[in-house]
Amino acid sequence: MAEEKKRTRRANGESAIYLGKDGRWHARVPMGYKDDGTPYRRHLTRPTRKELVDEVRRLEKQRDEGSARQPGKPWTVAKWFEHWVENIAKPVVSENTYAGYEVAVRVHLVPGIGRHRIDRLEPEHLESLYRRMQSAGSKAGTAHQAHRTARTALGEAVRRGHAAKNAAALAKPPRIEEDETEVEPYSVDEVQSLLLEVNKRRNSARWMLALALGLRQGETLGLRWSDVDLDNEYLKLRRNRLRPKYEHGCGEAAPCGRKAGYCPTRVQVRRETKNTKSRAGRRAVPLPGPLVVMLRSHMETQARERVAAGNLWTESAYVFTKPLGGPLSPNTDYHDWKRLLEDAGVRDGRLHDARHTAGTVLMLLGVPDRVIDQIMGWEPGGAARMRARYLHVTDPMLKEAARKIERAIWGAPDNLTVDKNQDNEP
């Protein structure tokens, strides 16, 4: 026993196992080096030598695989998520992606599971959080957003050795039920009703770009005159207009007593536009003749507004602006769309439904898939999936398919139209 207690000199990198004066077995496992270059060892203790050897082997395996916790104070979920979203995610993701991450971290993840250590977080902790979120009124989609954020943040923790496993990758998020109200694109008659109302409004071409060509809101509001070639009848899409974000300009205590967006001295803290991130999104789109006419008229109207506004005009080079210049707010644009639907007597719908409408009309007209992908800005690898999502089979298309089957099987002539209510003539 005396020999067992005696510590012997071991080779570099080899774990030291010994019986301590307290009657327990102890081990010092080399784990690498700290940030300052000094060796880092983990201390383990167990009541029996066998238990200790098993634990040492498990830890050595984690060390060799690179999955062992690194030296230093363990991260809590709250500290890691807050560090990750501000210092790791924010510099490399888009403003909109960061905004989604930040809300999920601040509103759901930190209050719900923030006190756990990330190396001890279990899938069940996350699944319990998702259930509590839904019990409190959150939709399944909101829980999914929290789940995706946690999975990304914990994946980075695993890569950096702060946790051995990604608990969110193992957790089961709640099921998202399919929306019972499937998107129904606007019919040609509805588009024509909108066109009649659009012609009475300022920025009329803005809505026809959405309905005829399927431009996204950000693409349309980010469009500048330098992107439009009316002589050659096309426009180039290069950037997206971002939703503004404001901070108080009156001080941290917000003495104005309002939300940041309504502060009299508010400060814009988000850039106006960002370049389109995908190659497919940076594209040239052909302009139909009537749209060219509308844009020429719009340019002349804008020039008159600039002269009438004088020094009050805010120069911005955007195609679609506020009455005194300056870029349109996406929120204002959304409410303008809702008023347009109401005034035109057309059923309510999302602004993005105009994009579904444009894609379906292109398919109805027999435009080749490759051309549809170019106009809509879909990546080649995911174009088939996007067509399945955006291009809708309408009643006229189904009736035309039935007529083709009739001609193929029963041999009905192409120009035969049968009126079942008409009496047979001799």
Side-chain angles (χ1 to χ4, degrees):
M1 182 66 68
E3 290 183 1
E4 287 181 331
K5 290 184 180 180
K6 183 179 178 180
R7 302 191 191 194
T8 59
R9 189 174 185 86
R10 299 176 183 273
N12 289 336
E14 186 178 356
S15 300
I17 300 177
Y18 58 93
L19 183 64
K21 294 180 180 180
D22 58 358
R24 293 174 61 88
W25 285 90
H26 296 258
R28 302 281 178 175
V29 184
M31 299 300 294
Y33 297 89
K34 299 178 182 179
D35 292 340
D36 60 4
T38 58
Y40 167 60
R41 296 179 178 86
R42 289 274 294 276
H43 173 239
L44 300 177
T45 179
R46 294 292 185 274
T48 67
R49 191 177 194 282
K50 181 181 183 307
E51 289 178 289
L52 184 64
V53 169
D54 291 342
E55 186 63 20
V56 167
R57 288 175 178 171
R58 183 189 68 80
L59 189 58
E60 287 177 338
K61 181 179 180 181
Q62 288 183 356
R63 177 196 64 194
D64 297 339
E65 292 175 347
S67 61
R69 179 171 59 83
Q70 295 300 303
K73 188 176 181 180
W75 290 89
T76 64
V77 169
K79 291 296 183 184
W80 171 252
F81 278 24
E82 289 166 351
H83 169 77
W84 168 81
V85 75
E86 291 298 329
N87 300 293
I88 299 175
K90 187 176 183 179
V92 297
V93 301
S94 70
E95 287 89 338
N96 290 340
T97 300
Y98 163 74
Y101 285 161
E102 192 276 333
V103 169
V105 167
R106 173 172 51 84
V107 177
H108 302 295
L109 295 171
V110 167
I113 56 173
R115 294 183 178 182
H116 292 284
R117 281 174 39 172
I118 60 171
D119 58 335
R120 295 180 180 175
L121 187 67
E122 298 295 336
E124 292 77 14
H125 296 143
L126 287 157
E127 291 162 350
S128 175
L129 170 63
Y130 305 150
R131 289 193 297 271
R132 295 197 307 271
M133 287 174 62
Q134 289 185 282
S135 297
S138 294
K139 294 182 179 179
T142 304
H144 262 268
Q145 171 66 12
H147 173 74
R148 291 190 297 270
T149 302
R151 185 176 59 195
T152 305
L154 292 172
E156 188 63 35
V158 171
R159 280 190 291 273
R160 299 186 181 212
H162 301 313
K165 67 175 183 294
N166 186 337
L170 301 173
K172 300 295 184 184
R175 178 181 177 183
I176 298 181
E177 298 291 341
E178 293 292 334
D179 190 355
E180 295 181 359
T181 59
E182 180 157 350
V183 174
E184 182 181 354
Y186 291 110
S187 66
V188 174
D189 289 340
E190 288 173 319
V191 172
Q192 290 174 345
S193 297
L194 288 169
L195 178 58
L196 291 175
E197 184 60 34
V198 155
N199 287 328
K200 306 174 187 177
R201 293 171 175 262
R202 186 177 176 276
N203 287 336
S204 58
R206 180 265 173 274
W207 305 114
M208 293 317 299
L209 285 174
L211 290 163
L213 299 177
L215 268 62
R216 303 175 178 91
Q217 183 189 44
E219 292 172 338
T220 307
L221 300 189
L223 196 63
R224 299 180 181 179
W225 284 114
S226 58
D227 302 324
V228 181
D229 188 337
L230 296 178
D231 292 333
N232 293 303
E233 301 185 349
Y234 74 92
L235 54 83
K236 290 184 177 179
L237 298 173
R238 311 176 188 182
R239 60 186 66 83
N240 286 315
R241 172 85 164 98
L242 296 175
R243 188 174 297 277
K245 183 178 181 181
Y246 301 101
E247 288 184 356
H248 281 280
C250 58
E252 293 183 3
C256 68
R258 305 178 183 180
K259 292 184 178 180
Y262 297 94
C263 175
T265 56
R266 67 186 184 185
V267 178
Q268 167 74 283
V269 295
R270 180 178 289 170
R271 54 182 172 159
E272 285 185 357
T273 63
K274 71 178 181 69
N275 293 333
T276 304
K277 63 181 179 181
S278 67
R279 291 184 60 186
R282 295 187 294 273
R283 63 196 189 276
V285 176
L287 290 171
L291 253 177
V292 173
V293 173
M294 292 182 76
L295 285 169
R296 287 191 188 278
S297 175
H298 176 71
M299 180 184 290
E300 295 170 358
T301 301
Q302 191 178 84
R304 290 194 297 270
E305 290 177 340
R306 183 184 292 106
V307 172
N311 294 333
L312 298 177
W313 181 264
T314 301
E315 193 59 60
S316 62
Y318 287 104
V319 174
F320 302 109
T321 67
K322 294 180 285 189
L324 294 177
L328 282 174
S329 164
N331 187 52
T332 301
D333 183 69
Y334 167 80
H335 290 294
D336 287 345
W337 165 254
K338 292 295 187 179
R339 282 192 294 270
L340 171 62
L341 294 176
E342 184 177 355
D343 293 345
V346 174
R347 59 187 165 85
D348 189 29
R350 305 172 307 162
L351 177 52
H352 204 67
D353 290 349
R355 183 164 167 80
H356 286 258
T357 299
T360 301
V361 169
L362 290 171
M363 178 177 64
L364 192 60
L365 295 175
V367 177
D369 287 348
R370 185 174 179 181
V371 179
I372 295 178
D373 298 344
Q374 163 82 10
I375 293 174
M376 300 291 286
W378 291 331
E379 292 280 4
R385 177 175 56 84
M386 297 306 290
R387 283 196 295 271
R389 177 180 177 184
Y390 278 85
L391 308 188
H392 304 268
V393 178
T394 61
D395 286 345
M397 296 169 69
L398 292 173
K399 291 178 181 178
E400 176 60 23
R403 284 194 290 269
K404 289 182 178 179
I405 294 172
E406 180 183 359
R407 289 194 294 268
I409 296 178
W410 286 276
D414 291 351
N415 59 353
L416 178 62
T417 301
V418 178
D419 187 350
K420 295 180 179 180
N421 295 322
Q422 183 178 353
D423 294 334
N424 293 330
E425 295 181 359

